[in-house]
Amino acid sequence: QVQLVESGGGLVQAGGSLRLSCEASGRTFSSYAMGWFRQAPGKEREFVAAISWIGGSTYYADSVKGRFTISRDNAKNTLYLQMNSLKPEDTAVYYCASTRSRVVFTTSNYDYWGQGTQVTVSS
């Protein structure tokens, strides 16, 4: 089993940056692909970014491509999301999650989820 705890959210002005972290417990962190999702009020949870279990492959939603960077440090059992050039439409609760599926874009393929961290971007 994997337990995930996100941190790093907050309030930032448009154009600013934040770095989210997701610390995982358990010895099998490196066996999972990891993803970031977000959910805005009144909207469904949506895919943001994902990274393969050794970090060799990364995937991004079109809406964040070129602005967000996903990375992982398996030695520290930690996943990161560097968010630059933030926009008001990036405001949401951000969740990290783990999966053993090769299909990393689909919410239902993820086995374990964190509790989420709020990101608010003011205009």
Side-chain angles (χ1 to χ4, degrees), residues 101-120:
S101 172
R102 292 185 178 183
V103 182
V104 298
F105 308 101
T106 306
T107 307
S108 59
N109 285 349
Y110 284 75
D111 306 302
Y112 301 103
W113 293 83
Q115 83 290 347
T117 185
Q118 176 71 47
V119 171
T120 303

Side-chain angles (χ1 to χ4, degrees), residues 2-8 20-26 29 34 36 71-81 95-98 112-115 117:
V2 178
Q3 292 183 325
L4 305 171
V5 179
E6 302 96 335
S7 62
L20 305 184
S21 298
C22 171
E23 189 170 347
S25 64
F29 174 74
M34 300 294 296
W36 286 100
S71 62
R72 66 189 296 165
D73 185 338
N74 287 344
K76 295 182 178 179
N77 278 9
T78 304
L79 175 73
Y80 303 100
L81 185 68
Y95 300 88
C96 66
S98 62
Y112 301 103
W113 293 83
Q115 83 290 347
T117 185

Side-chain angles (χ1 to χ4, degrees), residues 38-46 88-93 95:
R38 66 187 182 187
Q39 188 167 18
K43 295 187 176 181
E44 292 189 354
R45 193 168 298 188
E46 66 175 3
E89 51 263 45
D90 294 319
T91 296
V93 177
Y95 300 88

Side-chain angles (χ1 to χ4, degrees), residues 30-89:
S30 60
S31 301
Y32 290 85
M34 300 294 296
W36 286 100
F37 290 76
R38 66 187 182 187
Q39 188 167 18
K43 295 187 176 181
E44 292 189 354
R45 193 168 298 188
E46 66 175 3
F47 171 79
V48 174
I51 188 167
S52 61
W53 67 282
I54 57 172
S57 298
T58 56
Y59 312 87
Y60 296 95
D62 288 342
S63 59
V64 307
K65 202 171 293 183
R67 300 188 297 122
F68 292 10
T69 302
I70 188 171
S71 62
R72 66 189 296 165
D73 185 338
N74 287 344
K76 295 182 178 179
N77 278 9
T78 304
L79 175 73
Y80 303 100
L81 185 68
Q82 178 66 44
M83 305 186 295
N84 298 329
S85 302
L86 283 161
K87 305 175 181 180
E89 51 263 45

